[in-house]
Amino acid sequence: QVTLRESGPALVKPTQTLTLTCTFSGFSLSTGGMCVSWVRQPPGKALEWLALINWDDDKYYSASLKTRLTISKDTSKNQVVLTMTNMDPVDTATYYCARTLGYRYGYMGLDSWGQGTLVTVSS
Amino acid sequence: DIQMTQSPSSVSASVGDRVTITCRASQGIRSWLAWYQQKPGKAPNLLIYASSSLQSGVPSRFSGSGSGTDFTLTISSLQPEDFATYFCQEANSLTFGGGTKVEIK
């Protein structure tokens, strides 16, 4: 059974750096084809893909947010970490991590998701 | 980046209706498109990948088609549990569409 869980602060101040951790089980991020993505969703709005890391440690970022994002993995801990710098109130959203299959090798979608964590940016 | 445009943004339908949602890519993406269903307060759920491949466990009333720039998601006979918001996603830059809310008529 694949599970993912996001953790991190519920509230951050403007200009601060957000660090979110995705802890997963049921698969290994060292297996070929396996990836983990981060996706966010402002209240009442659409999904926005943010970043992806694959089994080979290749990293991909949203073009519009690339300068603010860093994704990394700790395969031994089954964790993926996302940092987003210079947070702003418009970054208030639910942040999800999701297992992603086959990116650039026969894409099969984001097939398992965490429950999401709401991050509010406010002073 | 590729832009994904969904239409309509919302649709009102009754149980048993056939519902079709469209997604248009700003450039050709072959068949690299996925569809998700999201219910309020829940994470999205993968329905279809590679334009027409049904994800394991998804009811067969859901189907997808299309290639290039134009894609459709069809629900053949709408069930009460299908009232939700649906998103498409392309597989190059992983951009999502704006969503289509399926509401009760």
Side-chain angles (χ1 to χ4, degrees):
Chain A
Q1 180 189 3
V2 173
T3 65
L4 303 99
R5 185 183 76 250
E6 306 88 353
S7 58
L11 179 66
V12 297
K13 290 179 167 48
T15 76
Q16 287 186 336
T17 293
L18 171 68
T19 299
L20 294 172
T21 299
C22 176
T23 303
F24 58 88
S25 63
F27 69 98
S28 172
L29 201 40
S30 59
T31 300
M34 291 294 173
C35 316
V36 171
S37 288
W38 284 94
V39 175
R40 71 178 179 179
Q41 186 173 38
K45 296 190 177 181
L47 301 167
E48 180 181 20
W49 175 80
L50 300 176
L52 176 149
I53 191 165
N54 72 6
W55 75 98
D56 207 22
D57 209 34
D58 295 319
K59 300 159 188 175
Y60 302 89
Y61 297 101
S62 162
S64 61
L65 293 168
K66 184 174 185 175
T67 60
R68 297 175 54 203
L69 296 173
T70 303
I71 192 169
S72 62
K73 66 182 174 75
D74 186 330
T75 304
S76 65
K77 292 184 178 179
N78 281 352
Q79 290 183 333
V80 172
V81 175
L82 180 76
T83 63
M84 180 180 290
T85 61
N86 194 25
M87 293 293 285
D88 183 272
V90 300
D91 297 313
T92 294
T94 296
Y95 288 75
Y96 296 98
C97 63
R99 187 175 77 164
T100 309
L101 301 179
Y103 180 58
R104 299 203 172 180
Y105 295 91
Y107 185 62
M108 296 175 67
L110 281 62
D111 76 325
S112 297
W113 296 64
Q115 83 278 11
T117 185
L118 176 62
V119 177
T120 301
V121 185
S122 175
S123 55
Chain B
D1 274 3
I2 298 171
Q3 306 303 314
M4 305 301 293
T5 304
Q6 281 184 241
S7 61
S9 57
S10 66
V11 57
S12 295
S14 301
V15 172
D17 284 353
R18 182 182 183 90
V19 173
T20 298
I21 299 167
T22 65
C23 184
R24 176 164 289 176
S26 60
Q27 62 189 74
I29 57 172
R30 294 190 287 173
S31 294
W32 296 118
L33 186 100
W35 289 97
Y36 302 85
Q37 176 193 67
Q38 187 181 32
K39 297 181 180 179
K42 300 294 186 181
N45 181 49
L46 176 65
L47 299 175
I48 286 170
Y49 62 93
S51 178
S52 61
S53 295
L54 198 65
Q55 175 70 0
S56 176
V58 174
S60 59
R61 63 181 179 273
F62 291 93
S63 64
S65 64
S67 66
T69 60
D70 294 315
F71 301 85
T72 61
L73 173 71
T74 299
I75 310 171
S76 60
S77 178
L78 198 65
Q79 298 302 300
E81 60 268 30
D82 301 336
F83 292 97
T85 301
Y86 295 83
F87 295 94
C88 62
Q89 184 198 32
E90 56 84 17
N92 185 29
S93 50
L94 300 179
T95 303
F96 287 93
T100 296
K101 187 174 184 179
V102 177
E103 300 174 298
I104 300 173
K105 193 171 185 178

